[in-house]
Amino acid sequence: MNMKRLLAIIIPMFVVLFIGMGVILYLILNQSSPANGAQRDDRSDLKKEVVVFHDDQTFITNLKDSDSYLKADISIEVESEKDAEVLNKNLHKVRDRIISILRDISEDDMKRSDIQEILKNRIKQDLQETLKIDTIIGIYFNELVVQ
Protein backbone atom coordinates (compact mmCIF):
# COMPACT_ATOMS: atom_id res chain seq x y z
CA MET A 1 0.00 0.00 0.00
CA ASN A 2 2.85 2.36 0.75
CA MET A 3 4.31 1.71 -2.68
CA LYS A 4 1.04 2.70 -4.42
CA ARG A 5 0.86 5.91 -2.42
CA LEU A 6 4.51 6.70 -3.23
CA LEU A 7 3.93 6.11 -6.98
CA ALA A 8 0.78 8.29 -6.83
CA ILE A 9 2.95 11.16 -5.58
CA ILE A 10 6.10 10.56 -7.71
CA ILE A 11 4.38 10.07 -11.12
CA PRO A 12 2.46 13.42 -11.04
CA MET A 13 5.65 15.17 -9.89
CA PHE A 14 7.57 13.79 -12.89
CA VAL A 15 4.72 14.78 -15.25
CA VAL A 16 4.73 18.33 -13.88
CA LEU A 17 8.54 18.43 -14.05
CA PHE A 18 8.63 17.29 -17.69
CA ILE A 19 5.89 19.73 -18.70
CA GLY A 20 7.75 22.55 -16.96
CA MET A 21 11.03 21.61 -18.69
CA GLY A 22 9.19 21.51 -22.02
CA VAL A 23 7.74 25.00 -21.49
CA ILE A 24 11.14 26.41 -20.47
CA LEU A 25 12.85 24.79 -23.48
CA TYR A 26 10.14 26.15 -25.80
CA LEU A 27 10.58 29.68 -24.43
CA ILE A 28 14.37 29.52 -24.73
CA LEU A 29 14.26 28.31 -28.34
CA ASN A 30 11.64 30.86 -29.41
CA GLN A 31 13.40 33.74 -27.68
CA SER A 32 15.78 34.07 -30.64
CA SER A 33 12.89 34.18 -33.14
CA PRO A 34 11.45 37.52 -34.33
CA ALA A 35 8.33 38.79 -32.59
CA ASN A 36 4.83 38.76 -34.09
CA GLY A 37 5.33 35.44 -35.84
CA ALA A 38 7.49 36.97 -38.55
CA GLN A 39 9.62 34.53 -40.46
CA ARG A 40 13.30 34.56 -39.75
CA ASP A 41 15.71 35.38 -42.52
CA ASP A 42 18.62 33.00 -42.02
CA ARG A 43 20.80 35.12 -44.32
CA SER A 44 20.75 37.92 -41.73
CA ASP A 45 22.53 35.60 -39.31
CA LEU A 46 25.51 35.34 -41.65
CA LYS A 47 27.88 38.25 -41.30
CA LYS A 48 28.60 39.69 -44.71
CA GLU A 49 31.98 41.12 -45.42
CA VAL A 50 31.69 44.76 -46.44
CA VAL A 51 34.50 46.62 -48.18
CA VAL A 52 34.52 50.32 -49.02
CA PHE A 53 36.24 51.21 -52.28
CA HIS A 54 37.44 54.78 -52.56
CA ASP A 55 39.38 56.40 -55.38
CA ASP A 56 41.70 59.03 -53.95
CA GLN A 57 40.92 61.42 -56.80
CA THR A 58 37.78 63.52 -56.66
CA PHE A 59 35.46 63.84 -59.63
CA ILE A 60 35.37 67.32 -61.17
CA THR A 61 33.26 68.07 -64.21
CA ASN A 62 31.14 70.81 -65.68
CA LEU A 63 27.37 70.66 -65.37
CA LYS A 64 25.24 70.10 -68.44
CA ASP A 65 24.72 73.32 -70.45
CA SER A 66 26.35 75.42 -67.76
CA ASP A 67 29.56 77.20 -66.78
CA SER A 68 29.25 75.74 -63.27
CA TYR A 69 31.37 72.87 -62.05
CA LEU A 70 30.51 69.87 -59.95
CA LYS A 71 33.01 68.36 -57.54
CA ALA A 72 32.25 65.00 -55.97
CA ASP A 73 34.10 62.57 -53.75
CA ILE A 74 32.49 59.14 -53.91
CA SER A 75 32.91 55.87 -52.00
CA ILE A 76 31.50 52.57 -53.22
CA GLU A 77 30.56 49.84 -50.76
CA VAL A 78 30.81 46.25 -52.05
CA GLU A 79 30.37 42.80 -50.52
CA SER A 80 33.96 41.56 -50.53
CA GLU A 81 37.60 42.33 -51.14
CA LYS A 82 37.29 40.46 -54.45
CA ASP A 83 34.62 42.91 -55.59
CA ALA A 84 36.81 45.86 -54.56
CA GLU A 85 39.61 44.38 -56.70
CA VAL A 86 37.22 44.30 -59.69
CA LEU A 87 36.54 48.01 -59.14
CA ASN A 88 40.24 48.76 -58.76
CA LYS A 89 41.22 46.83 -61.91
CA ASN A 90 38.52 48.70 -63.83
CA LEU A 91 39.15 52.10 -62.26
CA HIS A 92 39.32 53.73 -65.68
CA LYS A 93 35.82 52.45 -66.50
CA VAL A 94 34.49 53.38 -63.05
CA ARG A 95 35.77 56.96 -63.33
CA ASP A 96 34.54 57.30 -66.92
CA ARG A 97 31.02 56.09 -66.10
CA ILE A 98 30.72 58.29 -63.00
CA ILE A 99 31.99 61.37 -64.86
CA SER A 100 29.52 60.68 -67.70
CA ILE A 101 26.65 60.49 -65.23
CA LEU A 102 27.73 63.66 -63.40
CA ARG A 103 28.17 65.58 -66.68
CA ASP A 104 24.58 64.78 -67.59
CA ILE A 105 23.27 66.72 -64.57
CA SER A 106 22.05 70.29 -65.05
CA GLU A 107 21.98 73.16 -62.55
CA ASP A 108 18.22 72.71 -62.24
CA ASP A 109 18.73 69.01 -61.48
CA MET A 110 21.14 69.93 -58.69
CA LYS A 111 18.40 71.99 -57.02
CA ARG A 112 16.21 68.92 -56.56
CA SER A 113 15.99 67.63 -53.01
CA ASP A 114 16.36 64.01 -54.14
CA ILE A 115 19.31 64.52 -56.51
CA GLN A 116 21.76 62.59 -54.32
CA GLU A 117 19.53 59.51 -54.28
CA ILE A 118 18.98 59.79 -58.03
CA LEU A 119 22.73 59.98 -58.64
CA LYS A 120 23.44 57.10 -56.26
CA ASN A 121 20.92 54.88 -58.06
CA ARG A 122 22.21 55.84 -61.53
CA ILE A 123 25.84 55.24 -60.58
CA LYS A 124 25.07 51.91 -58.91
CA GLN A 125 22.98 50.63 -61.81
CA ASP A 126 25.48 51.82 -64.44
CA LEU A 127 28.49 50.29 -62.69
CA GLN A 128 26.70 47.00 -62.18
CA GLU A 129 25.85 46.84 -65.89
CA THR A 130 29.27 48.03 -67.06
CA LEU A 131 31.33 45.78 -64.79
CA LYS A 132 28.86 42.87 -64.80
CA ILE A 133 28.76 42.72 -60.99
CA ASP A 134 25.75 42.84 -58.70
CA THR A 135 27.58 43.17 -55.42
CA ILE A 136 27.48 46.94 -54.99
CA ILE A 137 25.78 47.61 -51.67
CA GLY A 138 25.83 51.39 -51.74
CA ILE A 139 27.20 54.58 -53.25
CA TYR A 140 28.18 57.33 -50.80
CA PHE A 141 29.00 60.99 -51.36
CA ASN A 142 31.78 62.22 -49.10
CA GLU A 143 31.58 65.59 -50.86
CA LEU A 144 29.20 67.06 -53.45
CA VAL A 145 29.80 70.71 -54.35
CA VAL A 146 28.59 72.94 -57.19
CA GLN A 147 30.61 76.06 -57.99
Side-chain angles (χ1 to χ4, degrees):
M1 200 75 136
N2 255 347
M3 189 61 141
K4 286 185 178 182
R5 186 179 269 176
L6 188 60
L7 286 175
I9 293 172
I10 291 176
I11 290 176
M13 283 179 42
F14 276 111
V15 170
V16 170
L17 181 66
F18 283 120
I19 290 173
M21 287 174 41
V23 168
I24 290 171
L25 188 60
Y26 174 79
L27 292 173
I28 289 172
L29 291 176
N30 282 336
Q31 188 175 20
S32 62
S33 297
N36 302 329
Q39 290 185 1
R40 234 175 110 169
D41 184 5
D42 291 332
R43 292 176 293 169
S44 66
D45 291 342
L46 302 174
K47 290 188 176 186
K48 287 187 178 180
E49 179 184 2
V50 176
V51 178
V52 177
F53 173 81
H54 182 260
D55 181 18
D56 292 333
Q57 296 179 348
T58 57
F59 297 89
I60 300 174
T61 184
N62 58 311
L63 292 174
K64 182 179 179 181
D65 302 325
S66 173
D67 291 333
S68 296
Y69 288 93
L70 174 65
K71 179 181 178 185
D73 183 26
I74 298 173
S75 294
I76 304 169
E77 189 175 51
V78 292
E79 289 183 1
S80 70
E81 192 65 45
K82 179 184 163 198
D83 302 326
E85 287 177 26
V86 170
L87 291 171
N88 197 38
K89 286 180 183 176
N90 293 285
L91 184 58
H92 60 289
K93 291 180 184 178
V94 171
R95 289 193 59 80
D96 178 70
R97 296 311 310 147
I98 292 175
I99 288 172
S100 294
I101 291 167
L102 296 177
R103 282 188 71 134
D104 196 38
I105 302 298
S106 69
E107 283 187 59
D108 289 337
D109 292 334
M110 287 304 295
K111 293 175 185 174
R112 294 180 56 156
S113 62
D114 60 345
I115 191 62
Q116 278 189 258
E117 288 306 312
I118 291 170
L119 288 172
K120 288 177 183 184
N121 291 332
R122 282 187 194 166
I123 291 169
K124 180 179 178 180
Q125 182 179 6
D126 193 289
L127 291 179
Q128 287 177 329
E129 290 172 8
T130 301
L131 302 176
K132 308 289 188 248
I133 60 172
D134 61 348
T135 57
I136 297 174
I137 297 170
I139 306 292
Y140 302 96
F141 287 100
N142 303 315
E143 180 179 36
L144 186 64
V145 179
V146 176
Q147 294 180 347

